[in-house]
Amino acid sequence: MSTPYGEWPSPVAPEDVAADVRGFASVAADGDAIYWLERRPSEGGRGVVCRAPADDPNAEPIELTPEDLDVRTLVHQYGGGDTLVADGTLLVANMDDQRLYRLPADGSAVTGDAEPTPVTPEPAEPMGHRYADMRLAPDGETVYAVRERHVGPGTESEPRNELVRFPLYPGAGEGSEDAAGSDADAASDAALADPVVVAEGHDFYAAPRPAPGGDRIAYLRWDHPNMPWDGTELVVAAVDDAGDLRDERVVAGGPDESVVSPKWSPDGVLHAAVDPTGWWNLYRFPAGAGSDAERSASESPALPAAADAENLCEAAAAFGVPMWTLGVSTFAFLDDGRIATLVTEDGEPSLRLLDPDTGDLTDPDLPYTSFRPASVRSDGERVAFVGHRTDAPSAVVSWRPEAGDAATTRHREATDDPLDAAYVSEPEPVAFPTGDAVGADDATAYGHYYPPHNPNVEAPADAAPPLVVRVHGGPTSRSEASLSSTVQFWTTRGVGVLAVNYRGSTGYGRAFREALKGEWGVRDVLDCVNAARHAAEEGLADPDRLAISGGSAGGFAVLAALAFHDEFDAGASYYGVADLRALAEETHKFESRYLDGLVGPLPEAADVYEARSPVAHAEEITEPLLLLQGGEDEVVPPAQAEAMIDALVANETPYAYVEFPEERHGFRDADSVARAHATELAFYGAAFGFEPAGDVADVELLVGERPN
């Protein structure tokens, strides 16, 4: 006997979606160990640095940071580059005060045999100085980092971003004990000197990368209204004996050219992903006077020049990613001269091996379909990364390329209790026509369709399943095929999922990405509408039970789709943008001019902001809407949801609202994630007339009244 779609009993309960499901970042290979940062929803999203032996796949990882330390930087709000590990020493950003702390990389800070030592001073304003993207100079003592200074209310409208340097071992001096030893050589907290500013004057900085010889440094900078994928400058400079910069020059990039992931090869040749061709290809910038190894220490450093740039493999493929977070690393050097690099071709990512002398690009056919976040590192023999698959949990992975694809070690998986493979719904790539009018066949958008799948259930023979169109955030981002507990939460219940890569998504080149310029809220929403229409026409979905769900910019697409189109029968907006002008005026510095390109500059485009803001057209929203919001969200503040509720109440549109008081932009706590999934399931059950199996949340659809 068949079971109606949406009512299938599922092995994935709401609490299973987040409980003990770890997220990974900041992978590093140092010595004989692999290091990584993992975020644990079961501990409120706390960031913990872990380590495992590189060559022992059976070794249990050890924790390196104590329970009272949450590793996370808030630079740009999205963070990234939270950790630095070098020669047995760990440097981390602490969420509670945003200062940097040094501790041994052996776990002794967890056992109580050592204490984290602050290396940056306490600012006048709590959390006023934030650090990220640290790199240690070859002298083993000087750290370069991005600093974001929040100088307090009434003084400046924006934080200041700059590059700074400071000692890893404050107070260590000539004749002192080796700085890697005890804290006897460390200055007291009160005596810590303020870091020295080495680059300032531009709106944003990223990726300070000292050269192996110590006499040069490279970094990225850019200014409003650009986002880093619009245009950045790659700067190189000489470094004097004090560690200060001189003779700065721009070697790549500009207002219309983006540079990502600068990195020096072991012999001192600068490389980076740059997109003058419309694709982030990998470039080499040799210095005119040769490499570090070919020059004597007494000679002035030879700096690369723009004319020296060499495209190592010209291709319609992306060797870079949008720099939403700091610390991005899309490639790594191997001892045999090859480069392990991320490559996204035809929208599908892979990790490949590039011979820089011949341009040959080899695909080792690793079983990974996504590599987020982009943190590809190498010790010369091994490549370490975060790998996602469609049939197994995400994992911290190391790989020996000379031994082939079998020489991979999964040091830590995202969960210790993975979903039985029999229940896994594998994605199917889709491409569908879209355009500037619904149904117009003048453009193509993409996605991944996950069909309902549950081996214990007989599907109805005479019905099509409900469909959730999932919209990624950004909007300058993308959805990639992977085993997602959220997706399997739906597919095991008999609900199909279609993750859309609308125009504006990354991985398809600059032209596809910039198709959303000036068109945010139009083309992305049309592509979501046409994705749902395509699924219904192909028999993949019930045309009367189409839902749309997304967070942040994806939440904006949810609201806009319901306000301006009639294709969807319900929507769930996670911390979605309702008022575009309010977003432009109230959001954080990093994105404060993002909408200049996506919508238009203010005040000139004020009428466009009004025309595309769902809150101004809520009277057109007649289908049920679920709003979920973090109470401490500084990217899309709660005022956006409150304004939307006011409009829905006035319009008597059925809606439900849940606020998570302690969450920021993106839910991290396990209880919050579980509650959000349970609520969304119950909401669709109420909207589409099915009874979900198991215990679900109580959802009250309000009409014409505010929540209690």
Side-chain angles (χ1 to χ4, degrees):
M1 182 176 177
S2 66
T3 303
Y5 289 114
E7 299 185 7
W8 297 359
S10 169
V12 186
E15 55 270 21
D16 294 332
V17 176
D20 297 322
V21 177
R22 296 171 282 261
F24 301 119
S26 300
V27 176
D30 185 62
D32 59 355
I34 303 298
Y35 297 80
W36 65 89
L37 173 64
E38 63 183 48
R39 305 211 183 275
R40 299 175 177 174
S42 59
E43 298 181 29
R46 183 171 78 96
V48 183
V49 180
C50 297
R51 187 188 77 183
D55 293 322
D56 187 353
N58 300 314
E60 183 68 21
I62 64 170
E63 298 181 12
L64 306 182
T65 47
E67 291 184 358
D68 60 352
L69 200 155
D70 179 3
V71 181
R72 178 181 290 115
T73 177
L74 291 177
V75 174
H76 295 177
Q77 287 298 319
Y78 297 113
D82 317 73
T83 69
L84 168 67
V85 60
D87 299 327
T89 299
L90 188 62
L91 186 65
V92 300
N94 181 32
M95 175 65 186
D96 289 345
D97 59 11
Q98 289 298 290
R99 299 172 69 188
L100 294 177
Y101 290 79
R102 186 187 74 242
L103 61 160
D106 59 4
S108 56
V110 174
T111 62
D113 297 323
E115 291 287 336
T117 301
V119 299
T120 56
E122 185 173 0
E125 294 284 335
M127 302 174 71
H129 291 182
R130 306 172 181 184
Y131 300 87
D133 214 354
M134 299 82 70
R135 282 297 184 277
L136 187 64
D139 64 9
E141 299 177 359
T142 305
V143 178
Y144 291 90
V146 175
R147 182 172 69 176
E148 184 175 88
R149 287 195 291 138
H150 296 248
V151 292
T155 53
E156 285 186 301
S157 59
E158 283 192 333
R160 290 183 179 177
N161 292 68
E162 55 207 4
L163 294 183
V164 298
R165 63 170 173 83
F166 54 88
L168 179 59
Y169 305 98
E174 186 176 351
S176 68
E177 179 183 344
D178 186 346
S182 72
D183 287 334
D185 57 358
S188 68
D189 190 359
L192 288 172
D194 196 52
V196 176
V197 176
V198 297
E200 61 182 333
H202 290 265
D203 291 321
F204 300 99
Y205 291 87
R209 302 293 183 258
D215 57 354
R216 295 167 295 159
I217 193 171
Y219 66 85
L220 299 176
R221 70 188 186 196
W222 69 98
D223 293 297
H224 286 314
N226 268 357
M227 298 299 286
W229 45 85
D230 296 323
T232 55
E233 292 181 335
L234 174 59
V235 180
V236 292
V239 179
D240 64 21
D241 291 341
D244 294 324
L245 279 54
R246 58 182 174 82
D247 300 333
E248 293 179 314
R249 66 172 63 169
V250 176
V251 299
D256 300 307
E257 183 177 292
S258 173
V259 186
V260 182
S261 188
K263 189 174 295 189
W264 301 89
S265 67
D267 62 348
V269 177
L270 183 62
H271 294 64
V274 196
D275 72 345
T277 66
W279 295 87
W280 277 306
N281 283 181
L282 190 54
Y283 283 76
R284 177 169 58 192
F285 300 87
S291 68
D292 287 345
E294 297 170 330
R295 294 193 313 275
S296 69
S298 63
E299 293 179 323
S300 299
L303 302 179
D308 297 329
E310 304 172 20
N311 190 338
L312 298 181
C313 180
E314 187 168 350
F319 292 70
V321 297
M323 197 167 56
W324 276 104
T325 58
L326 295 167
V328 167
S329 175
T330 62
F331 60 92
F333 300 100
L334 300 174
D335 288 341
D336 63 9
R338 292 180 298 174
I339 301 173
T341 179
L342 295 182
V343 180
T344 302
E345 193 170 18
D346 296 327
E348 301 298 333
S350 61
L351 183 60
R352 303 188 187 182
L353 296 172
L354 173 64
D355 185 327
D357 296 324
T358 66
D360 291 341
L361 193 62
T362 304
D363 187 352
D365 199 26
L366 296 175
Y368 296 97
T369 54
S370 177
F371 301 85
R372 287 183 167 179
S375 186
V376 179
R377 315 282 182 173
S378 176
D379 62 2
E381 296 181 5
R382 308 171 190 83
V383 180
F385 57 91
V386 178
H388 305 263
R389 297 171 56 158
T390 61
D391 60 350
S394 304
V396 175
V397 181
S398 66
W399 167 50
R400 288 182 176 272
E402 79 283 357
D405 61 354
T408 58
T409 300
R410 293 168 66 86
H411 297 283
R412 173 83 103 181
E413 293 193 335
T415 177
D416 297 325
D417 186 22
L419 179 64
D420 187 324
Y423 291 91
V424 172
S425 174
E426 292 268 6
E428 303 168 4
V430 295
F432 53 91
T434 187
D436 292 333
V438 176
D441 189 13
D442 60 358
T444 300
Y446 306 90
H448 295 96
Y449 173 68
Y450 299 80
H453 177 72
N454 189 321
N456 297 332
V457 177
E458 181 182 344
D462 57 351
L467 177 74
V468 176
V469 170
R470 284 179 55 84
V471 192
H472 67 71
T476 312
S477 184
R478 61 178 280 102
S479 173
E480 295 178 352
S482 65
L483 180 59
S484 161
S485 56
T486 292
V487 169
Q488 305 302 320
F489 176 81
W490 298 113
T491 57
T492 53
R493 285 177 163 77
V495 177
V497 174
L498 177 53
V500 179
N501 281 324
Y502 46 78
R503 285 169 292 173
S505 300
T506 61
Y508 302 91
R510 181 180 276 266
F512 189 87
R513 187 171 77 242
E514 292 189 343
L516 202 59
K517 277 205 166 186
E519 299 293 334
W520 191 37
V522 179
R523 287 179 173 168
D524 53 327
V525 178
L526 281 169
D527 292 353
C528 293
V529 167
N530 281 325
R533 176 171 293 178
H534 172 80
E537 291 174 348
E538 293 294 315
L540 305 177
D542 183 342
D544 296 322
R545 293 191 293 175
L546 300 174
I548 181 170
S549 176
S552 190
F556 168 64
V558 170
L559 301 176
L562 295 180
F564 303 121
H565 301 275
D566 299 323
E567 201 71 26
F568 293 102
D569 307 293
S573 171
Y574 286 69
Y575 34 88
V577 178
D579 186 331
L580 290 176
R581 180 154 192 164
L583 176 69
E585 295 174 345
E586 298 172 5
T587 196
H588 59 125
K589 178 184 177 181
F590 181 63
E591 293 184 87
S592 62
R593 300 291 299 277
Y594 190 14
L595 272 62
D596 282 27
L598 292 172
V599 182
L602 286 169
E604 296 88 343
D607 57 337
V608 180
Y609 282 72
E610 177 78 8
R612 294 190 195 164
S613 292
V615 70
H617 303 275
E619 72 278 1
E620 301 297 331
I621 299 178
T622 58
E623 303 297 346
L625 174 62
L626 172 63
L627 300 170
L628 303 107
Q629 176 68 41
E632 296 185 9
D633 193 339
E634 296 183 32
V635 179
V636 180
Q640 293 257 338
E642 292 291 335
M644 197 70 209
I645 289 171
D646 290 340
L648 295 172
V649 169
N651 191 44
E652 297 192 344
T653 297
Y655 78 97
Y657 176 66
V658 181
E659 181 175 306
F660 300 83
E662 298 182 359
E663 291 287 359
R664 293 178 178 269
H665 196 64
F667 301 161
R668 293 182 172 88
D669 182 76
D671 291 340
S672 300
V673 174
R675 185 184 178 196
H677 281 75
T679 301
E680 190 173 357
L681 173 61
F683 171 75
Y684 292 147
F688 294 155
F690 62 78
E691 292 287 340
D695 295 330
V696 296
D698 293 327
V699 172
E700 181 182 8
L701 291 180
L702 301 176
V703 179
E705 59 179 304
R706 295 189 58 83
N708 295 327

